[in-house]
């Protein structure tokens, strides 16, 4: 997979400086006049809209986007809601459309709530790229997918199965109930678990809304509602960090296993103190970087977005548009005590 630690360090520095440069909330306008990278149109204005601001995952992914936009010489902006609610992104899409940006790059909180606004943007000539969490296919030009849903699901179920010896009660602590990405992964996790681990029962799915406190409270409720619980899968970076924080000071530490999708920087201390054995993720910086270059390839006319179209995404190299307008980043990566210190995002 495209997961190069050398580049990670540089990207982490960019992500950090992007984060530090952000206003507490709202917009981080930044015009760049860097040198032209491979395949770039050089003057695209690209607005990133994350599911929510203040989520370290999107600080990292949008930081990767900012680096890409600087490399091809465009103008980067990031705006978005504070909470991941279904229609919270609509006003930011409308503003970007009024501003006449070249492209909107969005991780959607809901598959359909932002659709009317995105369709208006597209009819105004704006290229729309979803990344991380897709909309319905008719509301965007392309979707930059971090990894296949099957791969993400299988990785997490195999991790929890290994940690609990293949049998027992497991619960899922997800993000928002409408999140396209988590819902696709949960569906695949349930069918894969039923087939591969007949003695592993997924007994509950709860939603922390990608909010730290809600996710923390939902973890406490899961433990009291299911006294025989052996494991939790949290396929969201906010959820797994909050669940780890709860477990780390509770009597369930070391007894109830926890895995899912997390960032190494948020999870490091819980891996080191024995609350968590292993978890997974892709490189969110690479994901944002690829999404920005995908937008630029559409804006410049290098690609139309048809299946089989190819383009170069700066340092990441060449990509091909697959079926259903998808561009795939790579495979999930598993973090453990023995490799976590190699990563900084
Ligand atoms: C959270 C968000 C994001 C998801 C990651 C794994 O940060 O829900 O959409 O991809 O977790």
């Amino acid at each position: 997979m495209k997961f190069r630690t050398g580049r990670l360090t540089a990207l982490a520095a960019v992500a950090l400086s992007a984060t530090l440069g952000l206003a507490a909330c709202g917009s981080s306008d930044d015009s760049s006049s860097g040198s032209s990278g491979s395949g770039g149109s050089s003057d695209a204005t690209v607005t990133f809209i994350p599911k929510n601001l203040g989520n370290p995952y999107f600080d990292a992914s949008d930081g990767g986007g900012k680096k890409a936009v600087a490399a091809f010489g465009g103008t980067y902006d990031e705006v978005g809601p504070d909470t991941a609610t279904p229609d919270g992104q609509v006003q930011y899409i409308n503003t970007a459309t009024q501003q006449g940006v070249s492209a909107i790059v969005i991780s959607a909180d809901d598959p359909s709530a932002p659709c009317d606004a995105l369709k208006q943007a597209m009819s105004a000539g704006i290229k729309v790229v979803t990344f991380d969490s897709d909309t319905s296919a008719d509301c965007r030009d392309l979707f930059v997918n971090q990894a296949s849903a099957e791969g993400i699901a299988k990785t997490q179920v195999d991790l929890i199965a290994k940690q609990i010896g293949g049998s027992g009660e497991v619960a899922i602590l997800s993000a928002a109930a409408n999140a396209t990405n988590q819902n696709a992964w949960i569906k695949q996790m349930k069918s894969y678990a039923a087939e591969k681990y007949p003695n592993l029962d997924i007994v509950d799915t709860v939603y922390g809304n990608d909010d730290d406190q809600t996710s923390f409270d939902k973890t406490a409720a899961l433990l009291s509602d299911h006294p025989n619980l052996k494991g939790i899968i949290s396929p969201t970076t906010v959820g797994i960090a909050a669940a780890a924080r709860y477990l780390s000071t509770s009597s369930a530490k070391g007894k109830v296993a926890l895995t899912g999708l997390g960032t190494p920087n948020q999870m490091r201390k819980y891996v080191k103190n024995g609350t968590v054995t292993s978890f997974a993720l892709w490189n969110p910086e690479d994901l944002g970087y690829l999404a920005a270059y995908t937008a630029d390839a559409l804006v410049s006319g290098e690609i139309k977005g048809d299946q089989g179209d190819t383009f170069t995404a700066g340092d990441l190299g060449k990509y091909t548009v697959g079926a259903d307008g998808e561009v795939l980043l790579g495979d999930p990566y598993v973090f453990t005590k023995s490799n976590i210190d190699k990563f900084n995002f």
Side-chain angles (χ1 to χ4, degrees), residues 51-52 55-58 107-108 131-133 146 175-176 179 181-182 185 210 234-239 261-263 266 280-282 287:
K51 277 182 173 176
N52 55 337
N55 177 343
Y57 172 88
F58 290 111
S107 170
F131 77 106
D132 177 68
S133 185
Q146 47 272 55
N181 53 348
Q182 271 88 13
W185 305 333
D210 271 349
S234 186
T236 143
T237 60
V238 179
L261 304 174
T263 67
Q266 286 177 289
L281 197 67
W282 42 90
L287 183 65

Side-chain angles (χ1 to χ4, degrees), residues 290-322:
L290 175 58
Y293 265 102
T294 305
D296 189 52
L298 287 165
V299 171
S300 69
E302 185 184 358
I303 59 171
K304 285 207 177 92
D306 297 333
Q307 186 169 357
D309 282 356
T310 60
F311 63 100
T312 301
D315 293 346
L316 286 178
K318 199 169 160 189
Y319 283 84
T320 304
V321 176

Side-chain angles (χ1 to χ4, degrees), residues 118-304:
L118 290 174
K119 284 180 180 167
Q120 275 174 28
M122 288 196 288
S123 53
I126 295 169
K127 301 299 179 189
V128 173
V129 172
T130 51
F131 77 106
D132 177 68
S133 185
D134 200 9
T135 55
S136 311
D138 58 332
C139 316
R140 45 75 170 165
D141 292 293
L142 289 174
F143 170 47
V144 179
N145 196 353
Q146 47 272 55
S148 73
E150 294 84 349
I152 295 171
K154 184 175 177 303
T155 300
Q156 294 177 87
V157 172
D158 286 341
L159 287 176
I160 202 78
K162 195 172 169 198
Q163 291 170 24
I164 67 172
S167 72
E169 293 186 4
V170 170
I172 296 173
L173 169 65
S174 190
N178 291 350
T180 320
N181 53 348
Q182 271 88 13
N183 286 343
W185 305 333
I186 290 169
K187 196 171 160 210
Q188 297 274 352
M189 287 198 280
K190 286 182 174 167
S191 55
Y192 177 71
E195 188 190 313
K196 179 92 187 281
Y197 304 103
N199 298 323
L200 186 155
D201 283 335
I202 299 184
V203 292
D204 207 350
T205 302
V206 297
Y207 301 93
N209 298 329
D210 271 349
D211 175 73
D212 176 67
Q213 189 60 45
T214 311
S215 305
F216 186 88
D217 295 344
K218 295 280 176 172
T219 306
L222 275 179
L223 292 174
S224 70
D225 290 351
H226 304 283
N228 296 323
L229 200 66
K230 285 182 76 181
I232 297 173
I233 301 176
S234 186
T236 143
T237 60
V238 179
I240 192 174
R245 183 160 54 84
Y246 182 87
L247 288 178
S248 67
T249 58
S250 86
S251 58
K253 180 181 165 192
K255 293 189 192 123
V256 174
L258 171 66
T259 193
L261 304 174
T263 67
N265 286 354
Q266 286 177 289
M267 297 305 291
R268 184 169 288 106
K269 66 171 175 254
Y270 304 115
V271 168
K272 295 203 170 175
N273 74 15
T275 308
V276 171
T277 312
S278 54
F279 64 96
L281 197 67
W282 42 90
N283 182 349
E285 291 155 2
D286 283 354
L287 183 65
Y289 184 94
L290 175 58
Y293 265 102
T294 305
D296 189 52
L298 287 165
V299 171
S300 69
E302 185 184 358
I303 59 171
K304 285 207 177 92

